[in-house]
Amino acid sequence: MRVPIFNDLYDAGSRLLGRAGDLVSGGILEQDVRLGVTGLRRAGKTVFVTSLVDNLLKAGRLPFLDVVSSGRFQASRLRPQPDAQVPRFEVEQRLAELAGPAPHWPTETRGISQLRLSMRYRPNAVLKRTVQPVATLNLDIVDYPGEWLLDLPLLHQSFAEWSALTLELAGRAPRDELSVSWRGWLATIDTAAPAEEEQARRGAALFTDYLHACRRSDNLLSLIQPGRFVEPGDMANAPLLTFCPLPGDRPRTRGSLWALMEDRYEAYKSKVVRRFFAEHFARLDRQIVLIDVLGALNSGPAGMADMKRALELSLEPFRHGSSSWLDWLLGRKIDRVLFAATKADHVASHQHNSLRHLLDRLVSDARAGIRFEGAQVETMAIAALKSTETVVTEHEGRQLRCVRGVPLGRDRPTVLFPGEIPEDADFPPGQERPYNFMAFQPPADLAREARGLPHIRLDQAMQFLLGDYLE
């Protein structure tokens, strides 16, 4: 009979022994690593996962991944995922969208999905080679709508705190014009009056319309909470999604509209956000944070500031720090974090360093906090799928480095000068949107790529995130 106070310790020890027993399976040294591919909407998570899997399966375009360049890599294969209740990430369908007769970018992620890819290699580390000459690393990856990431900060906010922050944000440009109908309804209600279901549904509907307007905004607004209001998944029309922020202080009246909204907010946190975090994010070993820096530049100062705030808030709930032998008892920590500016192929190659320097400035506070906790942090400019090439052209007697590709909405390659990336996030005075970095279609010949999808620094990103596991 176990003493109740030791139940958690006993269970943790049992899990540790179970993992030790599974470490050698069928004579092959085996490890699991859970990679969190995180980022806000439009950052390119789905394309990143697709390209990562395709390149690890084919291993023809990974010169800076040491296990490949040293000749120790043997092969990869897709395996059944560990969480049977989570839908599979349909990598074959995503590849067909990118490499089909009419190539197009994959559809936006509407729900959560997962994939496991196993890599077999010859260990370089003496200890691993002594145990077994061949080892396997199981890589688990989760894809999810970008808005769901922004639910995580709610775990540390009361309904009153969240309401005050959301209303303050909704009253500032450019959100003030988008929230007129919802804020107008708020001015007509008494939050201490007895709750009526129809009134709660009306408020939630107007608030949801406002969030959708933020999502469609040309300002690339990122801070959209709660995420399930715009991407409900299998929760559409559930009472858990029938609440909205309310003004003022919490009234003492039982059965009031405020009490109803607060109860549903807390239920949402408990049954949706906390469960989502525990099942998918609390178990992460490594993390890559994908950021559409060029899109934020296009959106202007408001979009850039909104994205920066959203990133800082979304990273707060994660456990970052150096790993230790006590992780089995205290819970896993993310010990390596990579911030990656995506879509680097949309600018000429000589601009990639400027893109990385701008990213450094945008994430400087978050990076400092993560490093303080003991985790290793790196920044890169990457493109999970390279859709352009850098070319040099003559213009008015001087040479310009441009990009050549097929812009979205066009049907033939075009040479474009994308402009210069600023060295900081400041915008020229009097120019609300001085940047216009264009998006491009996937290359037309991807079906013939036997070496893996072309990319920029995907292998360097993997070396930082997984290189030590593959030693």
Side-chain angles (χ1 to χ4, degrees):
M1 179 177 178
R2 288 188 283 167
V3 179
I5 196 172
F6 293 118
N7 280 354
D8 290 341
L9 182 61
Y10 179 90
D11 292 340
S14 298
R15 289 194 300 270
L16 178 65
L17 291 174
R19 289 183 64 187
D22 292 339
L23 187 60
V24 177
S25 175
I28 300 295
L29 183 67
E30 202 162 317
Q31 277 186 295
D32 299 341
V33 57
R34 194 172 182 86
L35 173 65
V37 182
T38 57
L40 305 177
R41 188 171 63 95
R42 304 179 190 175
K45 294 187 301 300
T46 299
V47 175
F48 178 88
V49 173
T50 302
S51 182
L52 171 62
V53 171
D54 187 60
N55 275 282
L56 287 176
L57 287 173
K58 298 173 180 175
R61 293 183 183 271
L62 303 172
F64 290 100
L65 183 58
D66 183 68
V67 70
V68 174
S69 62
S70 64
R72 295 184 294 108
F73 183 83
Q74 291 191 339
S76 293
R77 64 177 296 185
L78 295 174
R79 298 275 293 277
Q81 61 200 61
D83 300 316
Q85 76 279 11
V86 180
R88 181 178 183 271
F89 179 88
E90 298 295 346
V91 65
E92 297 85 0
Q93 182 179 342
R94 302 288 87 81
L95 282 169
E97 291 173 325
L98 291 169
H104 60 277
W105 297 111
T107 53
E108 284 190 340
T109 302
R110 299 295 183 186
I112 194 163
S113 60
Q114 187 184 68
L115 196 71
R116 167 170 281 196
L117 182 139
S118 295
M119 292 172 275
R120 189 155 291 182
Y121 65 99
R122 293 191 301 276
N124 193 38
V126 175
L127 180 59
K128 284 186 179 180
R129 280 205 316 269
T130 302
V131 175
Q132 187 70 31
V134 178
T136 297
L137 180 66
N138 298 316
L139 178 63
D140 294 323
I141 311 171
V142 176
D143 187 36
Y144 60 92
E147 285 87 353
W148 292 10
L149 180 68
L150 286 169
D151 279 348
L152 302 185
L154 303 183
L155 294 174
H156 304 303
Q157 296 175 350
S158 68
F159 178 66
E161 291 169 337
W162 174 67
S163 292
L165 289 170
T166 304
L167 283 164
E168 191 271 334
L169 192 64
R172 297 202 314 255
R175 294 173 184 262
D176 53 347
E177 295 183 1
L178 306 177
S179 62
V180 169
S181 296
W182 170 56
R183 289 187 294 116
W185 175 83
L186 289 176
T188 68
I189 64 170
D190 179 4
T191 61
E196 296 181 4
E197 181 63 25
E198 186 56 36
Q199 192 177 39
R201 294 178 65 85
R202 177 61 177 164
L206 290 170
F207 179 60
T208 302
D209 289 344
Y210 156 63
L211 293 181
H212 278 290
C214 290
R215 195 184 195 213
R216 295 190 300 267
S217 171
D218 292 338
N219 289 286
L220 193 67
L221 298 173
S222 302
L223 192 50
I224 299 173
Q225 298 170 316
R228 299 292 179 113
F229 278 54
V230 292
E231 288 294 350
D234 58 356
M235 297 185 63
N237 298 318
L240 278 177
L241 304 187
T242 313
F243 65 89
C244 72
L246 294 177
D249 298 324
R250 177 183 182 181
R252 298 180 180 274
T253 312
R254 279 189 171 185
S256 64
L257 179 64
W258 178 287
L260 176 65
M261 296 288 201
E262 183 177 39
D263 286 346
R264 289 182 174 176
Y265 171 81
E266 292 298 334
Y268 181 86
K269 285 168 57 177
S270 175
K271 298 182 183 300
V272 179
V273 184
R274 188 167 287 111
R275 180 180 175 183
F276 179 55
F277 181 75
E279 292 181 355
H280 302 293
F281 289 114
R283 297 183 288 152
L284 296 182
D285 300 296
R286 301 286 163 86
Q287 183 179 25
I288 180 169
V289 184
L290 303 178
I291 305 170
D292 184 8
V293 176
L294 295 177
L297 279 174
N298 283 347
S299 68
M304 182 71 76
D306 199 74
M307 184 194 70
K308 187 175 188 296
R309 178 61 176 159
L311 281 169
E312 291 171 347
L313 285 173
S314 65
L315 290 171
E316 286 180 0
F318 290 97
R319 286 169 51 88
H320 298 108
S322 57
S323 298
S324 73
W325 67 273
L326 284 173
D327 287 351
W328 65 271
L329 176 61
L330 303 177
R332 292 185 183 181
K333 287 186 178 181
I334 301 170
D335 58 0
R336 291 195 185 188
V337 180
L338 175 64
F339 290 98
T342 57
K343 307 174 186 178
D345 58 321
H346 292 185
V347 296
S349 56
H350 75 290
Q351 287 283 291
H352 292 177
N353 281 338
S354 297
L355 181 58
R356 179 182 177 180
H357 291 327
L358 179 55
L359 174 65
D360 284 339
R361 290 177 60 91
L362 289 174
V363 302
S364 59
D365 293 340
R367 181 180 56 189
I370 294 171
R371 282 180 172 166
F372 182 81
E373 297 298 327
Q376 296 184 47
V377 186
E378 185 59 87
T379 57
M380 288 184 190
I382 71 169
L385 176 58
K386 186 173 180 287
S387 56
T388 70
E389 58 181 347
T390 298
V391 297
V392 178
T393 61
E394 292 281 344
H395 179 70
E396 296 181 353
R398 65 189 185 104
Q399 290 188 332
L400 290 179
R401 292 187 180 182
C402 303
V403 292
R404 183 179 185 272
V406 181
L408 285 180
R410 302 185 189 179
D411 58 3
R412 63 186 62 188
T414 304
V415 175
L416 297 169
F417 177 67
E420 301 289 329
I421 294 176
E423 295 184 359
D424 52 42
D426 296 329
F427 289 78
Q431 296 187 48
E432 188 67 16
R433 292 184 184 169
Y435 306 106
N436 185 26
F437 297 102
M438 296 190 67
F440 293 85
Q441 296 183 20
D445 56 352
L446 292 179
R448 299 195 298 270
E449 291 293 350
R451 297 189 298 149
L453 296 177
H455 61 82
I456 297 174
R457 299 184 191 90
L458 181 67
D459 49 350
Q460 294 181 43
M462 288 304 98
Q463 178 60 31
F464 172 73
L465 291 167
L466 302 175
D468 58 327
Y469 277 96
L470 296 167
E471 280 298 311

